[in-house]
Amino acid sequence: MTARADLAGRSAAADAPERDVLLSPQDYAAAARAKLDRAVWDYIAGGSGDEVTLRGDRAAFDRYRFRPRVLVDVSHCEVSTTLLGRPVALPIGIAPMAYHRLVDPEGETATVRAAGEVGALTIASTFASRTLEETARAATGPLWLQLYVLRERKVTESLVRRAEAAGYRALVITVDTPRMARRERDLRNGFSLPSHIRPANLDDGHKAELHSGRAGSSTLADHAARHHDAAFTWEDLVWLRSLTSLPLVLKGVLTAEDARQAADLGVEGLIVSTHGGRQLDGAVAALDALPEVVAAVPSECEVLVDGGIRRGTDVLKALALGARAVLVGRPVLWGLAVDGATGVERVLSTLRAELEEAMALTGRPRLDTLTPDLLHPSPGLAHPIATNDRDMA
């Protein structure tokens, strides 16, 4: 090779984009998918049934456009807020998700460390792969515990007591899972947990039930059928309220009727959620349900939302529709899979930077200026996600 050709080659390489630079959550999704076992990827990415609600959660954000205001001082955009009376650095938190060690050896302890670096809320799952005490010791930011009410009420009560002792600040009760919906990706893969991963908050008797998969079944669904309490009702919520003085937040509320009933019982918060499109397929998208839930409850009952959030502009839309904060799920696991705690921190930091940018460009420098008049609904602008792209939803 001549010196001139070598120089030209170097110049072309210098001018070429860095293909491994991860700039967005979707970049992390592509990198995570390339790295993870197919069954694990499908477990994280998939939804129930035909995945109509999975796609719908994402498509709902595309039905809104912004009405930006100009000549506003946006030299500083303030994104700090409070959740249940406690300060957080940004209105973006981590949704409860099971078994983080499926994608990273440290699992939940890495996730919660990353959240602490940016001052974000973490909601740890009952079905975590690290104990709630290990997660609490690693946390430097706000921390809540998500709780499934199990048939063995003594186990549920024990989890409440452990959460109190470990310093958790709220209990998030998942109410949309009396049974686990059919998740066909998991059934086709015969999904089960690897032998080194277990539900760390439960005794070893649960471990044996989760490690022997076969095509056409999911050990997670079988386990849920045996242990989730499908008879849990509003009356039982009163029992749960009697166990603790911690604030209660209900996750999985999609209607004004349920929102009002929860508020009447003194529930301190609601999370509008479709369980990431993993429960009732065909349910209303979380973002579409958000306004009626917000309108149904007094301001002291805080409303959060999750499902389909991929950009800071998505966060802005949810806040404008009345959410106190948003919770992010899959993008956190993508970041964790690619680069551990650093990956999670970068995903959260990117969403924060995009939120601040969107606030500046819409002329809304404070969270209390984010109101519905910021948005223009445009139903015709939403496009269905192509079939070959649905893994990236």
Side-chain angles (χ1 to χ4, degrees), residues 6-80:
D6 182 52
L7 184 60
R10 291 180 188 177
S11 177
D15 291 339
E18 291 287 343
R19 296 186 182 275
D20 60 350
V21 173
L22 305 179
L23 299 178
S24 71
Q26 287 299 105
D27 289 344
Y28 277 93
R33 187 179 186 185
K35 183 175 182 179
L36 294 174
D37 177 81
R38 172 62 187 265
V40 172
W41 172 260
D42 280 350
Y43 168 68
I44 293 169
S48 61
D50 291 320
E51 300 187 346
V52 171
T53 297
L54 175 66
R55 296 190 297 276
D57 271 346
R58 177 60 238 153
F61 287 94
D62 293 334
R63 287 195 287 272
Y64 291 94
R65 293 293 185 265
F66 294 114
R67 300 178 62 248
R69 301 298 300 272
V70 298
L71 298 178
V72 177
D73 181 357
V74 291
S75 56
H76 173 71
C77 291
E78 180 54 62
V79 297
S80 64

Side-chain angles (χ1 to χ4, degrees), residues 263-285:
D264 289 344
L265 288 174
V267 167
E268 287 87 349
L270 302 170
I271 300 174
V272 179
S273 173
T274 67
H275 213 106
R278 297 158 75 85
Q279 280 300 103
L280 176 63
D281 197 31
V284 60

Side-chain angles (χ1 to χ4, degrees), residues 210-392:
L210 292 164
H211 291 154
S212 300
R214 65 184 188 281
S217 72
S218 162
T219 59
L220 300 188
D222 294 342
H223 182 270
R226 284 189 290 270
H227 295 286
H228 286 198
D229 188 355
F232 182 63
T233 67
W234 293 104
E235 288 75 18
D236 298 301
L237 187 63
V238 175
W239 162 78
L240 191 58
R241 168 81 286 171
S242 73
L243 293 181
T244 181
S245 61
L246 289 176
L248 296 185
V249 178
L250 300 192
K251 179 179 182 291
V253 174
L254 291 170
T255 66
E257 296 90 335
D258 284 341
R260 280 192 292 268
Q261 189 158 356
D264 289 344
L265 288 174
V267 167
E268 287 87 349
L270 302 170
I271 300 174
V272 179
S273 173
T274 67
H275 213 106
R278 297 158 75 85
Q279 280 300 103
L280 176 63
D281 197 31
V284 60
L287 190 73
D288 290 337
L290 176 61
E292 73 169 84
V293 171
V294 171
V297 299
S299 59
E300 56 266 25
C301 182
E302 297 184 1
V303 179
L304 293 76
V305 66
D306 68 17
I309 294 159
R310 301 293 180 263
R311 288 285 192 180
T313 48
D314 300 334
V315 179
L316 189 64
K317 291 173 184 178
L319 299 179
L321 289 173
R324 184 78 178 183
V326 305
L327 301 172
V328 180
R330 292 178 177 92
V332 168
L333 292 182
W334 299 338
L336 185 66
V338 172
D339 200 12
T342 299
V344 175
E345 182 181 348
R346 287 177 177 167
V347 166
L348 294 173
S349 296
T350 296
L351 290 172
R352 173 178 180 152
E354 290 182 348
L355 171 62
E356 292 175 342
E357 176 185 277
M359 290 171 67
L361 295 178
T362 56
R364 307 288 179 119
R366 301 185 317 278
L367 297 183
D368 62 6
T369 65
L370 304 182
T371 49
D373 65 326
L374 170 61
L375 302 178
H376 176 75
S378 302
L381 292 175
H383 299 284
I385 298 173
T387 302
N388 62 355
D389 287 335
R390 71 176 187 170
D391 282 346
M392 307 309 295

Side-chain angles (χ1 to χ4, degrees), residues 193-206:
L193 293 181
S195 60
H196 66 286
I197 296 176
R198 68 182 187 88
N201 290 315
L202 304 177
D203 63 42
D204 284 344
H206 292 262

